[in-house]
Amino acid sequence: MIKLVFANGLNGEFGCPSGMPWPRNKQDMQEFKKITTGQLVVMGNDTFKSLGSKPLPDRDNLVLTNSLPYEGIDFGREDVMFAKVHPDAFGAFLKHLDSSIEQDVCIIGGAGILIKALPYADAICQTYIREVTEEATVKLPYKGFFEYLYDESTFARIQSKPSKDDSVVFNIYVPQVRGRF
């Protein structure tokens, strides 16, 4: 299963130089850990750098980068894999990953990778952050991302659960399925 796992603010706020444009939220971190532990997490190079260039523990980590001299996956490091993917083959690459492993493929960022992966997602786990406290330098766009995610003919929201302190909302979307009766 291909899952997008991310948090954003009201206006698509997604990132800033210090990492996230909101204070660390314990419930959000617990939810993220619950969804991604034991799975393959896929991220861009900037997201990996924002994690201190250290892999997330208890997960297989795959970093998408353009710095490899060839297209494909580099298994050179024991703790993290790097991959270079031709832009026209991104969807095929995700589907190949998904069909080749028993784990879920969890796309965690950056924004450009989430945008490219959205059409191939089997589930979207979005944490909506109610209060953004820093100016975001990275935003997920309404056009081309949220308009597609919020299109009820494309995706169905099957969960909208507020946190205990009501500071965040955990949403889950899945591709829309129309049955025949």
Side-chain angles (χ1 to χ4, degrees):
M1 176 179 285
I2 298 171
K3 293 181 179 177
L4 274 59
V5 184
F6 65 95
N8 67 274
L10 173 67
N11 297 308
E13 296 92 347
F14 182 73
C16 66
S18 64
M20 297 178 285
W22 47 80
R24 215 170 151 83
N25 182 290
K26 185 177 178 179
Q27 270 192 273
D28 176 41
M29 294 293 113
Q30 289 172 337
E31 190 75 11
F32 179 82
K33 186 175 182 179
K34 181 177 85 174
I35 293 167
T36 62
T37 295
Q39 309 304 325
L40 171 67
V41 290
V42 177
M43 67 193 91
N45 205 37
D46 288 343
T47 299
F48 185 60
K49 287 177 184 173
S50 77
L51 299 172
S53 297
K54 295 179 184 171
L56 292 170
D58 303 320
R59 301 157 185 99
D60 289 327
N61 290 255
L62 176 67
V63 179
L64 299 176
T65 180
N66 288 322
S67 64
L68 283 179
Y70 59 88
E71 291 172 348
I73 300 176
D74 176 12
F75 298 97
R77 279 182 55 177
E78 191 173 304
D79 58 348
V80 65
M81 298 170 283
F82 291 89
K84 182 177 180 178
V85 181
H86 190 280
D88 294 339
F90 185 74
F93 177 76
L94 289 181
K95 289 296 184 183
H96 174 71
L97 280 177
D98 186 36
S99 67
S100 300
I101 61 174
E102 292 182 19
Q103 304 161 298
D104 288 343
V105 177
C106 297
I107 315 294
I108 63 169
I113 293 169
L114 288 167
I115 292 165
K116 283 194 250 180
L118 183 61
Y120 309 102
D122 298 305
I124 296 97
C125 303
Q126 173 205 38
T127 301
Y128 167 70
I129 307 292
R130 295 190 191 275
E131 187 177 345
V132 174
T133 56
E134 280 188 57
E135 186 168 342
T137 54
V138 179
K139 290 184 178 183
L140 288 164
Y142 181 79
K143 188 166 179 57
F145 188 79
F146 288 112
E147 72 178 341
Y148 187 67
L149 177 61
Y150 297 154
D151 180 350
E152 293 177 0
S153 67
T154 307
F155 287 101
R157 184 170 63 183
I158 61 169
Q159 175 184 292
S160 183
K161 177 179 76 173
S163 62
K164 291 175 186 167
D165 65 1
D166 205 35
S167 63
V168 302
V169 178
F170 303 107
N171 295 312
I172 296 178
Y173 297 85
V174 296
Q176 188 61 270
V177 176
R178 301 281 183 219
R180 294 185 196 190
F181 298 97

